[in-house]
Amino acid sequence: MKEDKVLESNVTVLRTPLVDIEIVDEDEKNISFDIVDSWNTSHGVYINNDENHIIEATDYEEKQIRIRTDSLEIGKKYYVKTSVPIESRDSDEHLFTYGLSTEDNTFAISFPDPNDEFKWFPEDFKKGYKMFWYDFNGEAPSGTKAVSFYLIDREKEYIYIATAWIWNIHDHMENYESAAEVFTWIV
């Protein structure tokens, strides 16, 4: 297991240029978390989805929110609260991504979803199958509490939520939005 590089401990807000992120419970009480360095090592931007036209991102930052599972109650609903509304962007195996873009900035945040196969295809699983670790869900409608989650067990010490943002984008915003999303696909 890779050792986390802790950037800040016991904080209640991750501040980014586009959106601030908090973790709150059902009563709006803040949950403390750590901010750790990203594990991502690849920062290419595929221009027009062309593998022969990749440029290296230069103006970006990435951080992970690390929540201690011992700070959460099993089964209690928690929210990822944002200072401005974010919207659903994309998904891949075992995670889904939300984001926000402005004139020349884009932000992405990905949420782990270890039980996605069970939720999508419950009939394919044996009758006694139980979900594990934690469960993240996109809420409808999107907004400042677009994502909720709850803890299922304490097998994992931490829950990680990856974030990335890129700025000084002058052309190809859609390609940079995709790149920021992929930067967060590390959970």
Side-chain angles (χ1 to χ4, degrees):
M1 176 84 185
K2 190 172 186 162
E3 182 87 19
D4 290 335
K5 180 180 176 189
V6 178
L7 304 172
E8 295 180 61
S9 295
N10 273 345
V11 299
T12 57
V13 180
L14 168 61
R15 297 191 189 287
T16 80
L18 291 178
V19 60
D20 295 339
I21 309 291
E22 298 174 79
I23 307 299
V24 298
D25 67 13
E26 296 163 331
D27 301 319
E28 293 285 321
K29 180 182 173 209
N30 283 87
I31 305 301
S32 294
F33 54 86
D34 299 327
I35 299 172
V36 299
D37 207 7
S38 175
W39 301 327
N40 186 25
T41 58
S42 175
H43 299 99
V45 179
Y46 285 66
I47 302 301
N48 298 323
N49 205 25
D50 181 354
E51 65 183 40
N52 296 314
H53 190 189
I54 303 170
I55 59 173
E56 193 71 17
T58 55
D59 296 330
Y60 68 90
E61 192 159 347
E62 304 166 282
K63 294 182 180 173
Q64 292 187 88
I65 294 170
R66 183 179 79 173
I67 306 166
R68 290 186 169 279
T69 58
D70 64 7
S71 70
L72 305 174
E73 291 180 39
I74 291 177
K76 186 174 183 176
K77 193 172 193 177
Y78 297 92
Y79 295 92
V80 178
K81 183 178 175 184
T82 57
S83 58
V84 295
I86 58 176
E87 60 189 16
S88 178
R89 287 273 179 87
D90 205 349
S91 64
D92 201 12
E93 283 187 56
H94 304 295
L95 64 83
F96 59 92
T97 305
Y98 276 63
L100 175 68
S101 295
T102 62
E103 268 182 42
D104 67 344
N105 299 279
T106 189
F107 168 82
I109 182 168
S110 284
F111 303 97
D113 195 6
N115 298 293
D116 65 344
E117 290 172 351
F118 175 75
K119 291 187 295 186
W120 282 97
F121 309 105
E123 66 281 352
D124 292 345
F125 289 85
K126 295 178 187 170
K127 193 176 173 168
Y129 177 85
K130 290 192 216 175
M131 293 199 319
F132 57 96
W133 301 342
Y134 37 78
D135 186 38
F136 277 84
N137 293 287
E139 298 290 320
S142 294
T144 58
K145 286 187 183 172
V147 176
S148 67
F149 69 99
Y150 66 94
L151 184 67
I152 295 169
D153 64 44
R154 296 192 197 284
E155 183 179 330
K156 298 282 185 187
E157 185 177 3
Y158 302 109
I159 297 172
Y160 292 90
I161 303 171
T163 67
W165 54 98
I166 306 173
W167 60 93
N168 288 333
I169 303 166
H170 302 290
D171 295 307
H172 305 286
M173 176 58 86
E174 188 174 300
N175 301 129
Y176 279 90
E177 286 174 343
S178 294
E181 293 164 15
V182 172
F183 290 5
T184 66
W185 290 5
I186 57 177
V187 290

